[in-house]
Amino acid sequence: MENCQVGVFLSYVTALGHALIDRELYLPEDWCADLPRRRAAHIPESLTFRTKPELAKQMLRRAQSAGLPMGWVVADTVYGHSTDLRVFLEEQGYPYAVGVPSIEVVCVQTRAGLLLSDVASIAKQALRADDWQCLSASLGTKGERRVSWARLPVAQAGTVDGCHWLVFRRCLDNPDEVAYFLIWAPPETPLPTMVQALGARWHIEEDLQATKGLGLDQYEVRSYQGWYRHLTLVLLAYAFLVSVTVQSHLRASAQQESAACTALIPLTTSEARHLLAHLMFPAPTSAPLICHWSRFRRSHHYWAGYYHRRRRAKAG
């Protein structure tokens, strides 16, 4: 607990790839008030306590200043619970899909009229069996991630504008496992589009897991500047690996590989890191053999996923 360092990260997701693009160190409030500790860690005197949603807002402003196009902003309950962050996104015109805790209180339009309550109670009182739809949020290694979804329009100042929604996600295996999300999107946005946006949030978990192998959670820096320098190098290394995989995907698409060659999973950042580690240092005795083993692993993963998805499809 004494040595824990918590970072807030911004990931950018596109159809070609995804990567972490920004980071901020979260300083607990007691750290900010401890002057000797601040001086020992070389924390700037001008730095004041900021919540995680405030750090997220700061990174979004930087992305906006850089001209980065943003179709959706997606976040978990730590950020979705912040009214200030949601208002900021609406003022900037960024559609969002954010998780909220079960105690979040909203007003929704139901068949019986307006209902003001916490989202957990709304799910039990206002939803019927035919309100749920089975949709896939994303494609995983074991096939489509299918769960049940439902939504209700949110009333803002007593009126429904068609832009604010409360979305529910229910696990197929355990109906008692329900998650809640607040959505702000253009009018007439269909539920499947919202589900796809929510499914994209999983990529930040993949980014965090992949960067751990590059040193995201393996360092001994104890200063404010040291943390930013180390994390910046990690993000740069990961961006390089993502660029390698993107170029590989584009080249494979342009060459229109044969059916036998397409029985491979796309090159991943982990596989690219593994290849570079064996091809660069020390000098390999047989580079073709290393590349062959890489293709074998990708082919093995492809067919393992294929048979797993087929087995799930037969099981219904």
Side-chain angles (χ1 to χ4, degrees):
M1 293 291 292
E2 268 314 290
N3 293 324
C4 180
Q5 297 169 353
V6 179
V8 178
F9 296 90
L10 178 64
S11 182
Y12 193 65
V13 180
T14 71
L16 290 177
H18 51 88
L20 300 174
I21 62 171
D22 206 348
R23 72 283 173 264
E24 282 291 341
L25 178 63
Y26 170 76
L27 288 176
E29 197 166 6
D30 58 340
W31 262 80
C32 293
D34 192 332
L35 186 57
R37 181 180 280 183
R38 289 177 63 108
R39 288 175 177 171
H42 305 289
I43 298 173
E45 295 182 2
S46 59
L47 190 67
T48 59
F49 172 72
R50 291 169 295 174
T51 65
K52 291 180 180 179
E54 288 172 342
L55 294 175
K57 191 188 302 184
Q58 180 179 342
M59 291 190 291
L60 288 169
R61 285 197 181 101
R62 285 202 291 260
Q64 184 183 39
S65 299
L68 198 65
M70 288 183 276
W72 286 84
V73 175
V74 189
D76 60 20
T77 56
V78 173
Y79 308 94
H81 189 52
S82 171
T83 304
D84 290 341
L85 181 58
R86 299 201 305 265
V87 170
F88 166 77
L89 293 173
E90 292 182 24
E91 289 175 348
Q92 303 303 315
Y94 295 141
Y96 62 75
V98 295
V100 291
S102 59
I103 59 173
E104 187 82 16
V105 176
V106 297
C107 182
V108 297
Q109 178 69 53
T110 69
R111 294 181 178 89
L114 295 178
L115 173 62
L116 176 65
S117 183
D118 60 88
V119 294
S121 299
I122 291 174
K124 296 176 181 178
Q125 298 176 29
L127 294 177
R128 301 178 181 177
D130 56 355
D131 291 328
W132 295 93
Q133 301 180 43
C134 184
L135 298 169
S136 172
S138 59
L139 179 64
T141 56
K142 298 181 180 180
E144 299 285 348
R145 297 188 178 103
R146 302 186 69 85
V147 289
S148 293
W149 300 84
R151 68 175 181 175
L152 291 171
V154 174
Q156 294 289 105
T159 60
V160 174
D161 59 7
C163 298
H164 292 82
W165 296 86
L166 174 61
V167 173
F168 308 85
R169 183 188 67 198
R170 186 177 67 181
C171 181
L172 293 177
D173 299 329
N174 183 9
D176 295 329
E177 185 179 329
V178 182
Y180 315 94
F181 307 91
L182 287 178
I183 310 289
W184 183 72
E188 301 182 2
T189 300
L191 179 59
T193 301
M194 299 178 183
V195 169
Q196 290 300 311
L198 288 167
R201 201 202 71 82
W202 178 253
H203 289 308
I204 195 171
E205 305 297 341
E206 297 175 340
D207 291 337
L208 293 173
Q209 185 63 35
T211 48
K212 286 180 180 179
L214 299 173
L216 185 72
D217 63 345
Q218 300 173 13
Y219 57 86
E220 298 179 2
V221 298
R222 298 297 299 271
S223 71
Y224 183 83
Q225 290 183 345
W227 188 89
Y228 276 94
R229 288 170 179 171
H230 178 79
L231 267 292
T232 300
L233 291 175
V234 170
L235 266 60
L236 284 170
Y238 186 54
F240 169 74
L241 292 177
V242 171
S243 69
V244 170
T245 60
V246 169
Q247 292 301 318
S248 173
H249 301 166
L250 293 175
R251 187 164 54 251
S253 299
Q255 292 175 351
Q256 295 294 319
E257 294 179 325
S258 64
C261 293
T262 55
L264 300 169
I265 64 169
L267 182 66
T268 64
T269 54
S270 297
E271 184 64 20
R273 180 170 62 90
H274 179 86
L275 275 172
L276 290 172
H278 285 79
L279 290 173
M280 294 181 65
F281 184 83
T285 56
S286 178
L289 180 61
I290 294 174
C291 294
H292 172 77
W293 272 106
S294 175
R295 293 182 67 84
F296 170 79
R297 285 192 297 269
R298 293 166 60 193
S299 177
H300 175 76
H301 290 162
Y302 172 87
W303 288 112
Y306 168 80
Y307 286 115
H308 186 90
R309 291 188 295 271
R310 192 174 71 169
R311 183 166 60 252
R312 289 183 62 182
K314 288 183 178 180

